[in-house]
Amino acid sequence: QENDLGCTDPEYLEFERNAEFDDGSCLTLVVRGCTDPEANNFNAEANTDVGSCVYGLQPPACNFESSYTYQGTVYPLVEVAGECWFGENLRASAFNNGDAIDAFEAGSTETASPWYAPIEPWISQDDDEAFGSAYNQAAVLDARNVCPSGWHVSTHADWDALAASFGGYMTLNINLASTGISGDQSGYWNVSISNENGTGLNVHPAGAVNPFTGSNPSGNEAIFALNDGRYLWGFQYSADMSMVLYDFEAAGQNPNELGTAIRCVKN
């Protein structure tokens, strides 16, 4: 049918959410940024505004920087909803004062101390950069801070601001989720429900690591630790999408026996 045709790639302005067959009409690549010429951080090349415009004497959130190097890893920076975010999950193996974080060893019975585990060995995809590392709650809440100095583990308020810029939490998921599906190796999600990655944060389904069992519900879930001990849990199943605030401890689970991803946000 004629209305089944259109641009099927959400990284292009011509993207048609209901199109099933690509007709070659994808022409204009999405460039995210501030599109207001009156703003300090106006980007003449941007064609998709992500709520990052800054006015007056206040500098832009990322201070005109596109990347940040921390413990030898270069992280892309994403300026969105007036804040500066790491564009990838954290992969640090030490706190910002240089104290090492223990790497979790399979079979260990000590979980109360801070630990981290690279997510990639626990999942089917071989891409350490895409998935980053998982951290238990002791590491997340440690006063030494896993994020760089001047940055913090994302807060509920950070996510609220992000959601507000994209129509609320009901529509935030598709704007967080990276595009593509695992079935044809174009991405990582088991299902792709018009994933648009509108925030530019390129979130992959890293799930949560349980080193005791090696299990990890990747493919459908992305779970981020918050700096107050709770978690933001986004998941996709069939045609349903959801994002919820979750408390492992209140649900009877030991948050130090699970590891989840971290996104750092600039103070």
Side-chain angles (χ1 to χ4, degrees):
Q1 297 181 6
E2 186 175 345
N3 61 359
D4 289 335
L5 300 176
C7 172
T8 59
D9 189 336
E11 290 301 306
Y12 286 80
L13 286 181
E14 293 81 10
F15 172 61
E16 293 286 345
R17 185 185 299 276
N18 297 321
E20 296 183 21
F21 305 100
D22 197 286
D23 63 358
S25 61
C26 296
L27 300 174
T28 313
L29 193 65
V30 169
V31 179
R32 301 177 181 87
C34 173
T35 60
D36 187 347
E38 299 299 318
N40 293 357
N41 57 333
F42 168 63
N43 182 352
E45 298 180 358
N47 53 34
T48 302
D49 198 283
V50 291
S52 61
C53 294
V54 175
Y55 301 87
L57 299 177
Q58 182 181 359
C62 291
N63 199 29
F64 302 105
E65 297 175 345
S66 60
S67 65
Y68 188 94
T69 302
Y70 182 49
Q71 297 184 20
T73 297
V74 179
Y75 295 91
L77 297 182
V78 176
E79 189 169 319
V80 59
E83 293 192 289
C84 187
W85 291 67
F86 272 19
E88 295 175 353
N89 293 346
L90 187 66
R91 303 201 295 277
S93 58
F95 295 106
N96 72 29
N97 69 350
D99 291 348
I101 306 171
D102 290 338
F104 191 93
E105 297 181 6
S108 174
T109 58
E110 169 54 50
T111 62
S113 299
W115 60 259
Y116 82 100
I119 294 174
E120 182 271 321
W122 305 96
I123 61 179
S124 58
Q125 295 98 332
D126 183 14
D127 195 340
D128 180 61
E129 290 188 7
F131 289 90
S133 293
Y135 301 81
N136 72 341
Q137 191 178 90
V140 173
L141 301 182
D142 195 288
R144 291 171 289 183
N145 193 5
V146 293
C147 289
S149 180
W151 297 71
H152 60 267
V153 175
S154 63
T155 69
H156 191 207
D158 294 330
W159 291 97
D160 279 350
L162 197 61
S165 291
F166 289 88
Y169 278 99
M170 291 299 292
T171 53
L172 179 60
N173 247 18
I174 60 173
N175 285 293
L176 286 175
S178 55
T179 59
I181 57 174
S182 58
D184 61 8
Q185 297 185 333
S186 63
Y188 300 101
W189 293 89
N190 288 345
V191 290
S192 180
I193 311 167
S194 300
N195 289 353
E196 298 179 19
N197 189 30
T199 61
L201 291 174
N202 210 35
V203 169
H204 303 316
V209 171
N210 183 335
F212 293 103
T213 63
S215 65
N216 178 40
S218 63
N220 297 87
E221 300 169 311
I223 306 174
F224 291 99
L226 303 180
N227 77 338
D228 63 3
R230 296 179 297 174
Y231 300 81
L232 199 66
W233 193 332
F235 51 92
Q236 297 183 345
Y237 289 110
S238 184
D240 297 321
M241 309 182 71
S242 183
M243 179 165 281
V244 298
L245 192 62
Y246 194 77
D247 189 324
F248 284 122
E249 195 165 13
Q253 296 173 276
N254 184 344
N256 284 322
E257 292 181 359
L258 293 170
T260 62
I262 287 175
R263 285 294 174 108
C264 297
V265 181
K266 196 171 185 179
N267 294 349

